[in-house]
Amino acid sequence: MERVLRDAGALSTGAIVSESHRGASLSIGLSAVIIAATIDEPRVLTLRLGREPIEALPSGPLEIEHRTLEAGLRAWVERQTGQKLGYVEQLYTFGDRDRVETGETQPGRALTVAYLALVREARPGGAADAVWQNWYRFFPWEDWRSGRPAALEPIEEGLSRWSAQASTEAGRRLRKERVGLALSASWNDELVLERYELLYEAGLIDERRRDLGCPASGGGPTFGVSMAADHRRILATAIGRLRGKIKYRPVVFELMPPAFTLLQLQRTVEALSGVRLHKQNFRRLVEQQGLVEETGGISAATGGRPARFVRFRREVLLERPAPGLRLRAGRRLLSP
Amino acid sequence: MERVLRDAGALSTGAIVSESHRGASLSIGLSAVIIAATIDEPRVLTLRLGREPIEALPSGPLEIEHRTLEAGLRAWVERQTGQKLGYVEQLYTFGDRDRVETGETQPGRALTVAYLALVREARPGGAADAVWQNWYRFFPWEDWRSGRPAALEPIEEGLSRWSAQASTEAGRRLRKERVGLALSASWNDELVLERYELLYEAGLIDERRRDLGCPASGGGPTFGVSMAADHRRILATAIGRLRGKIKYRPVVFELMPPAFTLLQLQRTVEALSGVRLHKQNFRRLVEQQGLVEETGGISAATGGRPARFVRFRREVLLERPAPGLRLRAGRRLLSP
DNA sequence: CCCTAAATGCTCAAAGTGAGCATATTACCA
DNA sequence: TGGTAATATGCTCACTTTGAGCATTTAGGG
């Protein structure tokens, strides 16, 4: 403990990257998926790394100074992007040996503890090359707000080809089943990771080819912009989790400004979940649940009739057990 | 305790317990919460360690041989308990420096990746001192099946005393708020971890006193049977997660035998969630959702009229997006 | 004044829920 | 053999919650 206090000031000197007696290296990384939302787009904060820039999530190794994993994460993010984090939750710990190229000569393992953070302002991160990106750049097939994404056509083709390629009959059936579930007629917005994994396994994702050591190009199209290491997989995990969570926890408000209109709130939810919602029903839900209260202000009419400004009613947290926007995308609105 | 755990893993050769260049030790542990359910009780598989036995979850250090974290976990569990695992899901990664006593001379960190596993048979684990325990031994206040648990009386007292002890007014309000939420009139069965954390912070849990280096006894009563290290916290996390999950995923069936009656299913769900359910409505739900199908068999009437045997209908996984038992405990039944 | 774009109000039918009443079957017991 | 206890199953009924739309209201711009 004294040790801790003494070291607290030192920067970056105490990374825990250690050698086991068998000569394999082990490092523990902390990665952050930092989400914000502008008017109409969900954003994720990325760093541009390298000469031919590849995008990465803010991350860094766990250090001895860090009292908790979360504290370590906050420190790294601030150091790299200048962003202060508010809402933070642990996402998942990735540790497969095969999926991450350590870039080392020795066999090694990289354990990554990934976190999801929600922030309010989307002002470009202070330091380095931190930039806010529309997350659909990485997952173009996840945005159904203006109808079925065009990318899904070739993706389905690729996936069904992949299904057919399984060596056994059982394998083919299993693959078809997985594809059917992930891309079923009734679009399930939360299956982001499942879909990513399918595309990855089917070789429709750049990272897959990279991990296999394949030539940069070859073997049909790939989809979405790629990211460093397994960061796109982490991002997929985060999006899926967030899409699920807004339905039973009032986390969207972590992304909203202090005062906002109901339409702004709806647009944000739509941006995150990737589907359009029925306006009147959305308002009914939000108001019935007592999620917001009027601020008294009135919006500087952007289009038509001016709207009331509202703010999040923190008290709901004490009242209802699971206050959220259990949105169920209007059926009509999904395929217009 | 830590000593014991280390020893348990010493059989292996490739444990990744490494020394950083700063002299702090880092180990990555894998822990498993293995759940089963007998007729009326939810069970968790524990190991009895040490001379005056203290119970621990099956765990062991991550080794180089392990291709994935999950594979490592399965290996450890089999080695220690003889249990083969079926359904496994990652729970959470614990890494706070303060909460775990390493028992070492050097400052160190123990990272624990915890998993939740569901198994069918509850036959006593093969090796060593593996035993199935009713999980309510560790959380007596979580079982509302026969009315409000008696332990809640003194617990509420202890917590409100703790609330009042906060140094600032704001602190007191915050504590009261947390207590109110976790123990609110409308019991939320999923807040297992929140309640455990409260009791821990309030010093109503043995582990807390141990972590503070307090004498074994002193300062009022503590609740529930304690466990090694932070295993009880991990178990709390697992129970909360499982209670949540059965509501939107058909995971209960991982705990059921191949054929069972609807009442058996209901009893199992009740055992897990700790609340009683309305029988007719439960059956309506299960059948409407198409979660089960008849096997044709008929139960050897335990009490009254014999019941049909049913089995899980795997096809639902392909049909409905979130098939589960969105149970909402009968209001009447909660406080009879 | 007419038109467009939102914000708001309200309706309505269908589906989903919470509580119970009523019957059907068995085992067991006097 | 009839009565009783303990379940299993069917069915009702009053509400709530949803999904979809229609109708009105309020501003700004020709």
Side-chain angles (χ1 to χ4, degrees), chain A residues 9-87:
Chain A
L11 277 190
S12 193
T13 46
I16 302 183
V17 178
S18 30
E19 300 291 321
S20 94
H21 60 286
R22 295 274 294 277
S25 77
L26 161 70
S27 68
I28 296 184
L30 300 170
S31 292
V33 178
I34 306 168
I35 304 293
T38 54
I39 324 286
D40 265 338
E41 298 305 335
R43 306 285 177 143
V44 56
L45 190 56
T46 67
L47 299 175
R48 290 236 164 114
L49 300 178
R51 259 166 289 137
E52 43 175 323
I54 182 164
E55 297 182 76
L57 298 174
S59 355
L62 174 67
E63 297 174 353
I64 313 178
E65 293 79 32
H66 301 144
R67 170 142 317 175
T68 64
L69 295 173
E70 195 181 305
L73 181 92
R74 287 175 191 271
W76 269 114
V77 169
E78 265 188 65
R79 209 181 299 176
Q80 294 183 336
T81 72
Q83 257 298 340
K84 283 231 172 204
L85 300 184
Y87 179 94

Side-chain angles (χ1 to χ4, degrees), chain A residues 61 63 67-68 75 135 178 182 214 232 273 278 284 287 292 307 311 320:
Chain A
E63 297 174 353
R67 170 142 317 175
T68 64
W135 78 31
R178 285 179 61 198
C214 285
R232 196 147 60 138
S273 63
H278 183 286
R284 176 174 64 185
E287 300 194 312
V292 299
R311 65 171 150 250
R320 317 178 124 275

Side-chain angles (χ1 to χ4, degrees), chain A residues 159-178:
Chain A
L159 288 180
S160 78
R161 207 173 314 122
W162 170 75
S163 298
Q165 278 165 6
S167 51
T168 69
E169 173 55 29
R172 281 189 287 281
R173 208 158 3 102
L174 184 61
R175 287 186 179 182
K176 281 213 177 99
E177 214 167 75
R178 285 179 61 198

Side-chain angles (χ1 to χ4, degrees), chain A residues 51 60 77 127 161 164 180 194 209 237 244 253 256 273 279 286 297:
Chain A
R51 259 166 289 137
V77 169
R161 207 173 314 122
E194 285 79 352
R209 301 189 183 171
T237 308
F253 301 103
M256 304 299 295
S273 63
K279 187 168 174 172
V286 173

Side-chain angles (χ1 to χ4, degrees), chain A residues 134-189:
Chain A
N134 180 332
W135 78 31
Y136 291 118
R137 272 183 72 222
F138 308 104
F139 303 97
W141 58 87
E142 292 289 345
D143 186 1
W144 283 67
R145 285 174 298 167
S146 29
R148 183 186 170 83
L152 274 175
E153 194 59 43
I155 284 177
E156 285 202 321
E157 254 171 58
L159 288 180
S160 78
R161 207 173 314 122
W162 170 75
S163 298
Q165 278 165 6
S167 51
T168 69
E169 173 55 29
R172 281 189 287 281
R173 208 158 3 102
L174 184 61
R175 287 186 179 182
K176 281 213 177 99
E177 214 167 75
R178 285 179 61 198
V179 172
L181 257 179
L183 305 181
S184 72
S186 63
W187 184 255
N188 184 333
D189 62 300

